[in-house]
Amino acid sequence: MNEPTYTKPMLKEGSLEGKTILITGGGTGLGKAMGKYFTELGADLIIASRKLEKLEETAKELSENSGRTVLPVQCDVSDYASVEKLLKTSVEKFGKVDGIVNNAAGNFISPTERLSNRAFDIIVNIVLKGTYNTTLAFGKHWIEQKQKATVLNIVTTYAWTGSAYVVPSAVSKAGVLALTRSLAVEWAKYGIRFNAIAPGPFPTKGAWDRLLPGELQDKFDFKNKVPLKRVGEHQELANLAAYLISDFSSYINGEVVTIDGGEWLQGAGQFNMLEAIPSEMWDVIEKMVRQTK
Ligand code: HXC
Ligand code: NAP
């Protein structure tokens, strides 16, 4: 059977040539998938997170695959001094950074009343503080250098719906979305664009092990929550991210693009539960409704 189109690269060759892009959390999961595609499109890359060994392994793999330079930098995004060091190292190596993907995250499921204040802090510090730390450090630099740039923030659909059992993450992603829309206006005058992607379920080890551990994976198969009855493919997210970080999307600013197969709307629409009604029952139902005076 032919591979579906959405698993294939979308943009034309060289679309990111001349660009240097930072991806936080770029050593694993979706960050790695985006990084792989960005380098295939001609970008050089900085990948930054806490675990240097993992970053080095990914950097080697991506640069061997594409021939591009991939710089692994150990950085804890929740620590501003660490982010300033990342900025310095990046500029020393490449001269400039054209874009950031704020992708680093921490998350796990838990009833909120079971969380210690430290557990709440740790998620907010990675997701929200981490995103504004990189944005502030790199933003100040870009403004001072009069350099145009693009920021792409990875949120999720519960940034606007909220979600039980992942409250620190929901609070943080909502903040990141507000940051995206606020600075899209405030920093447009400096030529700095801000957009966000809200992915639905995309299988990664980091997310799956923490959000649906063990048997929960069979009990609550993510596919069943998605009208299209499938989870996301990494390449389709990478295609969207590459477009939004590239100059092809120059007139898109302050937008959040949802890529979830319709998942969050299925949960939202008041009568979406009627999907469970078999089609042969609709004749009877219609008759009952028509009889109502
Ligand atoms: C309750 C917990 C806990 C749990 C940790 N803690 N796990 N509390 N239930 N399951 C508490 C600890 O007891 C501690 O509080 C505090 O949280 C910090 O925990 P540490 O283990 O010391 O922190 P650290 O080693 O820094 O690890 C951070 C982490 C970890 C967030 C807990 O999971 C991590 O490194 N995650 C990074 C990757 C990740 O999470 N990826 C998934 C992203 S998925 P005390 O009080 O005891 O000191 C995602 C998808 C969204 O965002 C949407 C999907 C559809
Ligand atoms: P992942 O592989 O666990 O990615 C998270 C990354 O964040 C890791 O590489 C981790 O690396 C890094 N990180 C964590 N704490 C950090 C810190 N303090 N400083 C720097 N880096 C840190 O999970 P993923 O599924 O690919 O998630 C990527 C993004 O997509 C996240 O923003 C997530 O919220 C979002 N998302 C995912 C899904 C999904 O279904 N997978 C759905 C919606 C949104 P280290 O451990 O080395 O630090």
Side-chain angles (χ1 to χ4, degrees), residues 24-32 34 48-52 54-55 74-79 82 102-107 122 125-127 130 153-158 169 173 197-208 210-211 222 234 237:
T24 67
T28 63
L30 300 182
K32 179 177 172 182
M34 290 185 274
S49 76
R50 298 164 302 176
K51 298 187 189 111
L52 186 59
K54 184 79 219 169
L55 291 170
Q74 187 166 38
C75 172
D76 179 349
V77 291
S78 65
D79 172 16
S82 180
N102 282 308
N103 164 81
N107 199 3
I122 198 104
N125 286 345
I126 301 170
V127 181
N153 292 328
I154 308 300
V155 294
T156 182
T157 54
Y158 59 59
S169 172
K173 294 290 192 185
I197 294 178
F202 281 74
T204 65
K205 187 168 166 37
W208 257 225
R210 291 179 176 91
L211 300 177
F222 272 128
H234 287 196
L237 182 92

Side-chain angles (χ1 to χ4, degrees), residues 32-53:
K32 179 177 172 182
M34 290 185 274
K36 176 170 181 284
Y37 190 40
F38 292 179
T39 51
E40 286 168 356
L41 290 170
D44 288 328
L45 211 64
I46 303 140
I47 52 176
S49 76
R50 298 164 302 176
K51 298 187 189 111
L52 186 59
E53 215 176 296

